[in-house]
Amino acid sequence: MLHSHGPKSPKSTSDDTRIKHSALSRLSRDLTRHTAEDGYMDSPESRKAYEEYYHPISRAKGDAVAREFLDRISAVGQYPSFLDRKDSPFVVADFGTGTGGLAEGILPVVLGSLPAETPVELWLYDKSEEALRIAPQNIRKTLTGLAVRIHPVRCTFPGSVRLPDTLHFLIQGNLLAEMDDGAADQIYRPLGETLRRMAPGGALIWVEPADRISSRRLLSLRDRMIKLYPEFIVLAPCPNLRNASCPALKTDKDWCHEDRPYAFSEDVRRLAKTVGHIKDSLKMTYIIAMKRHDDFPFRTSTMPVWRLVSELREETGLAWGIFCDGAERRRIRILKRYKNEGNKTFWKLGRGDTILPPPEDQMNARSGFWDLSPQAEIRLVPGSSENGAGSAMPEQGQDRPWT
Ligand SMILES: C[S@@+](CC[C@H](N)C(=O)[O-])C[C@H]1O[C@@H](n2cnc3c(N)ncnc32)[C@H](O)[C@@H]1O
């Protein structure tokens, strides 16, 4: 499904001149190579380039992942534990807030499911003074009418930071991509303190670019989190609530990312062209996790699902893809001459789609692949092709509610 784009990108709060394409090209090259200059957010030209091009992209990603978060918590029976609050503030921290793009995407969706009068406290963290000036303005515009108290905190991760005593939501976007490897490894220290302070039923959304380096940094952080703080359960994109180490990290060359069709505004597509990008999808690595709440046990599935974590590749005489069950990856392939009513869904699968696996006796392991037999039926988990990762899960006692 093609998602529609949100509101138009915010115009600069400082001036109305068009961004300089040279500034955007430089920024895009540096961000892609992980060599962004320290303080690029403090330079008017590059900050403006970021705000006009990357900001709406981050906002779209935030919106998509926040919607998936709501789907997932309702699928695993967590909805009331997290959202039933009215008088005390809902406290959110945003690490590496930049111009506030990711927060602008996530907050309206999450706050939209809270009682309207809920007070909101927003702690914004960044090393750039300019970012901490601009982000509150952008976020306030998006959250017009809500009672939001904003605390900008200037800091340089992985150094320690001032944190709220308790928080309910942690967001972090495109921050690890800008740190060096060592720093990304160490960020779990301030992050760990944040995770400890999170209320039961609290949640986090972390988003990074889809490239191998950024993705692996995020996946390593994910693995470290579930090892040190096993009370956090990964809801997405990893299926089946297994909280296992990420199988993509088993070899150096792998990573895991999404690529979801998305209709960006004309402005974003035009800017994309000037830097040689094609902007027709949301490309990202992301993690949604939630802190266990004793009163609301997670509803787990009796039947594990598998998520396609690669493109579906069609070659002469066959098609194959890499599937993940949250603990292991399998290359599954099928011969074209076996194509039939029962497996026709396989041929239409896209990255992020989630299926019910056929029984083991309908697959044969051979030369690093699992070959599907002609009898193997392939069924898509409902909703999974709309937002990737499989929003719905079969409930206990309802083994195949959609068949
Ligand atoms: C690419 S922007 C991301 C902005 C926003 N989260 C988003 O996704 O659009 C990354 C931000 O992280 C900040 N940043 C980078 N390294 C940092 C560090 N070590 N400590 C604090 N902030 C940092 C930068 O100043 C920048 O504003």
Side-chain angles (χ1 to χ4, degrees):
M1 180 174 117
L2 215 59
H3 297 257
S4 63
H5 56 77
K8 270 178 89 65
S9 59
K11 289 295 165 212
S12 166
T13 46
S14 48
D15 63 81
D16 275 337
T17 54
R18 296 187 83 76
I19 62 167
K20 290 207 170 107
H21 287 170
S22 57
L24 180 59
S25 299
R26 207 169 38 247
L27 181 63
S28 151
R29 184 203 57 206
D30 291 352
L31 290 176
T32 308
R33 293 183 187 165
H34 304 276
T35 55
E37 267 174 42
D38 219 19
Y40 74 88
M41 277 283 173
D42 292 314
S43 131
E45 274 187 1
S46 51
R47 199 263 306 145
K48 192 169 167 60
Y50 189 92
E51 198 175 15
E52 298 264 325
Y53 181 55
Y54 288 102
H55 180 109
I57 296 171
S58 289
R59 190 176 51 209
K61 291 177 182 174
D63 176 88
V65 180
R67 287 175 196 282
E68 186 176 346
F69 161 69
L70 293 184
D71 275 358
R72 293 292 293 136
I73 58 172
S74 108
V76 298
Q78 291 297 315
Y79 193 84
S81 72
F82 182 69
L83 298 174
D84 185 20
R85 46 185 321 100
K86 192 149 96 184
D87 302 326
S88 56
F90 178 74
V91 183
V92 183
D94 180 9
F95 278 14
T97 198
T99 53
L102 192 75
E104 269 194 63
I106 292 174
L107 291 175
V109 177
V110 174
L111 298 179
S113 45
L114 294 171
E117 59 276 34
T118 309
V120 179
E121 267 195 35
L122 192 49
W123 292 64
L124 305 179
Y125 297 87
D126 207 289
K127 65 181 178 185
S128 155
E129 201 170 335
E130 184 64 1
L132 293 172
R133 187 180 70 79
I134 298 290
Q137 297 173 9
N138 285 337
I139 293 169
R140 278 195 196 287
K141 265 188 237 154
T142 296
L143 301 180
T144 308
L146 294 182
V148 185
R149 236 179 109 198
I150 298 185
H151 308 267
V153 182
R154 195 156 176 216
C155 65
T156 302
F157 296 117
S160 61
V161 293
R162 191 162 60 91
L163 294 168
D165 292 339
T166 304
L167 70 157
H168 306 99
F169 217 99
L170 170 63
I171 67 186
Q172 179 178 297
N174 304 302
L175 171 64
L176 301 182
E178 285 191 15
M179 299 177 79
D180 61 42
D181 265 332
D185 275 350
Q186 289 162 18
I187 199 171
Y188 74 89
R189 287 196 198 123
L191 265 183
E193 184 52 36
T194 316
L195 299 179
R196 268 193 292 279
R197 291 176 185 221
M198 195 175 281
L204 60 86
I205 293 181
W206 296 339
V207 180
E208 290 291 329
D211 65 273
R212 190 181 71 91
I213 291 177
S214 311
S215 170
R216 289 182 67 86
R217 285 180 186 171
L218 184 63
L219 299 175
S220 308
L221 197 65
R222 168 205 180 277
D223 276 12
R224 207 182 295 251
M225 172 185 75
I226 56 177
K227 196 162 156 218
L228 297 176
Y229 305 97
E231 62 275 27
F232 279 83
I233 309 295
V234 178
L235 301 182
C238 325
N240 304 316
L241 306 178
R242 292 229 159 112
N243 256 31
S245 304
C246 176
L249 294 180
K250 280 186 185 153
T251 67
D252 280 353
K253 63 179 183 5
D254 278 348
W255 72 103
C256 183
H257 71 277
E258 282 290 291
D259 195 348
R260 298 185 191 170
Y262 188 86
F264 280 104
S265 68
E266 180 56 40
D267 285 352
V268 169
R269 281 183 283 134
R270 181 179 46 77
L271 290 174
K273 260 194 208 151
T274 67
V275 286
H277 297 171
I278 299 167
K279 270 288 157 229
D280 57 3
S281 67
L282 302 174
K283 294 187 175 57
M284 61 185 163
T285 295
Y286 72 103
I287 298 293
I288 303 174
M290 185 163 188
K291 193 169 191 173
R292 202 181 278 285
H293 190 304
D294 287 345
D295 296 343
F296 295 92
F298 282 88
R299 189 164 63 209
T300 50
S301 161
T302 48
M303 184 177 304
V305 296
W306 288 358
R307 176 168 179 264
L308 181 60
V309 294
S310 67
E311 302 300 325
L312 189 79
R313 289 167 203 160
E314 288 208 39
E315 293 172 12
T316 320
L318 56 85
W320 66 279
I322 304 172
F323 291 79
C324 182
D325 71 356
E328 271 182 48
R329 288 178 154 199
R330 275 189 192 191
R331 288 157 181 261
I332 298 182
R333 77 183 162 184
I334 186 165
L335 295 177
K336 266 195 182 140
R337 66 187 152 91
Y338 289 169
K339 196 169 182 177
N340 62 33
E341 238 351 79
N343 64 35
K344 66 177 184 206
T345 302
F346 189 87
W347 307 85
K348 296 182 202 144
L349 293 176
R351 188 187 287 272
D353 283 348
T354 305
I355 58 164
L356 284 171
E360 291 282 329
D361 64 3
Q362 293 177 2
M363 287 181 286
N364 299 311
R366 197 168 45 195
S367 343
F369 282 90
W370 289 80
D371 287 331
L372 292 176
S373 76
Q375 293 76 37
E377 273 193 49
I378 299 297
R379 294 192 186 282
L380 194 64
V381 174
S384 82
S385 57
E386 283 171 25
N387 61 10
S391 62
M393 286 185 76
E395 292 180 16
Q396 244 151 7
Q398 276 188 284
D399 275 356
R400 288 178 185 250
W402 44 82
T403 53

